[in-house]
Amino acid sequence: MLYSTQTGLAQEVPERNHLVQVGYGALSLQEIGVRIGNSSTLFFPVRKRVKQVVGPVQVSYSKALNTKWSIGAIASYTLIRSIREDIEENQSGETQFIKSGEDQSRFYTFMPTIQINWNKPALVQVYSGVSLGVLIVDYKGWGNLGEETRHTTKAAFLGHLNLLGIRIGKRVGGYVEGGIGTHGLATGGLYYSF
């Protein structure tokens, strides 16, 4: 009876219990926040619009504690460039947009993460997870003549909730995730397990 209780409670560790992922996300909290912030200038004589978004580009490592739980860390980088435009009317009464500056925000995240696997290791793995950690924002603004107008660096405590992720492959494969937070509403990439 003692033997059967021990084997029932113990969970085996998968053969390949280390995982490295490299991926790219879309529609992160950072991007959504900048777009909302830019739209608030629609009622003022200065207008902002997002010109370029890179990321979040992500790298993560995790270690399986057993077939159900994994812990690890994830880091990401996001770049968002916005253009500032003054709105003026020319002599014929037409509205013109004249570039008056540029804003550039770089976002860095560093977060411990925990993941629950919904099925045993197989060709297709279904999982969810949560990451909590620090978000560092490095903001720079320039005027239309190229002079730096502002430079600030701030840190905040944020996270990401991965509602559903699917990994396909054994040792090497691809993954897609859906969630909300600093890594985007949708994330995809490649992984390697060893």
Side-chain angles (χ1 to χ4, degrees):
M1 187 170 164
L2 181 61
Y3 174 75
S4 65
T5 304
Q6 287 177 339
T7 56
L9 292 175
Q11 293 189 19
E12 57 189 64
V13 177
E15 181 183 322
R16 292 182 290 275
N17 60 351
H18 301 276
L19 183 73
V20 176
Q21 292 187 155
V22 177
Y24 193 89
L27 292 174
S28 64
L29 282 180
Q30 304 91 289
E31 181 181 350
I32 293 168
V34 168
R35 289 187 185 277
I36 290 171
N38 287 355
S39 68
S40 68
T41 64
L42 290 175
F43 303 105
F44 302 100
V46 175
R47 189 177 94 134
K48 288 184 181 179
R49 62 183 166 85
V50 171
K51 182 164 177 87
Q52 177 188 25
V53 177
V54 176
V57 179
Q58 306 157 21
V59 176
S60 69
Y61 166 79
S62 62
K63 179 178 179 11
L65 300 176
N66 51 46
T67 57
K68 192 85 168 162
W69 295 96
S70 298
I71 60 169
I74 185 166
S76 71
Y77 167 79
T78 307
L79 168 69
I80 302 175
R81 286 180 51 228
S82 296
I83 301 296
R84 292 191 307 261
E85 297 174 324
D86 289 329
I87 302 169
E88 297 180 356
E89 285 188 18
N90 62 15
Q91 293 176 348
S92 61
E94 296 173 343
T95 302
Q96 293 181 326
F97 299 102
I98 300 168
K99 182 179 173 182
S100 61
E102 183 176 325
D103 298 329
Q104 186 178 85
S105 298
R106 296 176 188 270
F107 300 88
Y108 305 90
T109 65
F110 305 96
M111 301 183 180
T113 184
I114 188 165
Q115 176 181 299
I116 183 170
N117 300 307
W118 297 112
N119 60 330
K120 291 195 177 204
L123 181 63
V124 177
Q125 181 78 46
V126 180
Y127 59 95
S128 298
V130 64
S131 304
L132 294 171
V134 67
L135 169 78
I136 299 169
V137 183
D138 183 35
Y139 168 83
K140 290 182 182 177
W142 293 273
N144 59 351
L145 299 175
E147 75 279 2
E148 189 172 301
T149 56
R150 281 191 297 173
H151 183 195
T152 58
T153 304
K154 294 182 180 180
F157 183 75
L158 281 175
H160 183 84
L161 177 62
N162 176 17
L163 297 172
L164 182 66
I166 299 173
R167 254 187 237 109
I168 300 174
K170 291 261 185 182
R171 183 175 295 274
V172 177
Y175 73 95
V176 293
E177 297 175 351
I180 186 159
T182 57
H183 300 131
L185 292 178
T187 305
L190 301 172
Y191 75 88
Y192 173 69
S193 62
F194 57 99

